[in-house]
Amino acid sequence: KQEVTQIPAALSVPEGENLVLNCSFTDSAIYNLQWFRQDPGKGLTSLLLIQSSQREQTSGRLNASLDKSSGRSTLYIAASQPGDSATYLCAVLYGNNRLAFGKGNQVVVIP
Amino acid sequence: NAGVTQTPKFQVLKTGQSMTLQCAQDMNHEYMSWYRQDPGMGLRLIHYSVGAGITDQGEVPNGYNVSRSTTEDFPLRLLSAAPSQTSVYFCASNRARTSTEAFFGQGTRLTVV
């Protein structure tokens, strides 16, 4: 069974600092890894998708890395802003099109 | 382009009542799935479908039924609602196993009293 862990569960940072969010998964046989953002009471918004053959993916201030062999991914958010406050979810696609999610990193950016 | 549409957004049920959560996608995606999200538990897979006429159980299927008669629609049925089914439900879709991203609906917040 694929298990996904996100550390830390919650963190607060001052505005302007870089954010580093970690995700680990137990089975390296994945098709891709996806990072989502979820605001309170809202749905999931896809941020970045990393294919299993890729090492990293970038979009604006966001950069995600993937080390499939060690079962790890890291999401970097540069120069954090109060609008980055949200819960960030990591999910891996594996098996018969199954997505396994971590429990999320709850982020608060303090102005 | 609507993406993945879920209805209703909110619902309150009494224990023992039945209802259907609707999910529709307009991206011609083969794969569709239902998740529930509970505090401290993350998102857990209930049922999924790899195409019209094909469904399978996920991690927490008990108490839920699904069918997939068309590519576009994937309804989730609660036959006899229980308080333990109070949760936020999300529907997702993605293309066949070509490593494309999954798209999610906005969720249905269900309370069973």
Side-chain angles (χ1 to χ4, degrees):
Chain A
K1 179 185 174 184
Q2 178 74 263
E3 294 186 358
V4 180
T5 303
Q6 292 187 244
I7 296 173
L11 72 160
S12 297
V13 297
E15 182 177 359
E17 275 200 8
N18 297 331
L19 278 164
V20 180
L21 307 178
N22 296 301
C23 171
S24 62
F25 46 95
T26 55
D27 186 350
S28 62
I30 65 170
Y31 297 109
N32 63 44
L33 184 145
Q34 202 165 347
W35 282 94
F36 295 89
R37 170 184 171 137
Q38 186 175 31
D39 294 293
K42 303 295 184 182
L44 280 68
T45 301
S46 180
L47 296 175
L48 289 169
L49 172 72
I50 311 178
Q51 309 290 358
S52 61
S53 59
Q54 295 178 318
R55 297 285 291 182
E56 67 176 346
Q57 194 66 250
T58 298
S59 176
R61 293 185 294 112
L62 276 60
N63 174 276
S65 65
L66 174 64
D67 184 343
K68 196 176 77 162
S69 61
S70 67
R72 294 178 184 175
S73 176
T74 301
L75 178 66
Y76 300 90
I77 303 177
S80 61
Q81 304 168 358
D84 294 329
S85 298
T87 296
Y88 293 84
L89 297 168
C90 165
V92 296
L93 186 70
Y94 74 105
N96 191 13
N97 193 53
R98 298 170 76 118
L99 268 176
F101 281 85
K103 295 180 181 178
N105 305 108
Q106 188 174 2
V107 172
V108 174
V109 180
I110 304 165
Chain B
N1 193 352
V4 180
T5 303
Q6 289 183 237
T7 55
K9 288 186 171 55
F10 301 94
Q11 183 70 49
V12 178
L13 285 179
K14 293 182 179 179
T15 298
Q17 285 185 319
S18 63
M19 79 160 295
T20 299
L21 280 63
Q22 301 292 344
C23 176
Q25 53 93 7
D26 61 359
M27 297 171 282
N28 202 30
H29 286 171
E30 297 88 348
Y31 292 137
M32 296 186 74
S33 48
W34 278 101
Y35 297 83
R36 60 178 289 172
Q37 186 176 35
D38 303 290
M41 300 295 291
L43 277 91
R44 293 178 292 170
L45 180 65
I46 305 171
H47 285 287
Y48 64 101
S49 170
V50 300
I54 306 170
T55 63
D56 205 348
Q57 296 181 350
E59 188 182 353
V60 287
N62 293 340
Y64 308 95
N65 280 355
V66 293
S67 60
R68 182 100 178 267
S69 57
T70 67
T71 300
E72 295 78 20
D73 300 299
F74 191 43
L76 179 72
R77 297 183 186 86
L78 284 71
L79 298 179
S80 180
S84 61
Q85 294 178 304
T86 293
S87 186
V88 181
Y89 292 85
F90 289 99
C91 178
S93 76
N94 57 292
R95 289 205 181 279
R97 203 180 302 161
T98 55
S99 293
T100 56
E101 66 182 308
F103 293 85
F104 280 75
Q106 288 301 298
T108 295
R109 187 173 295 272
L110 175 67
T111 302
V112 183
V113 298

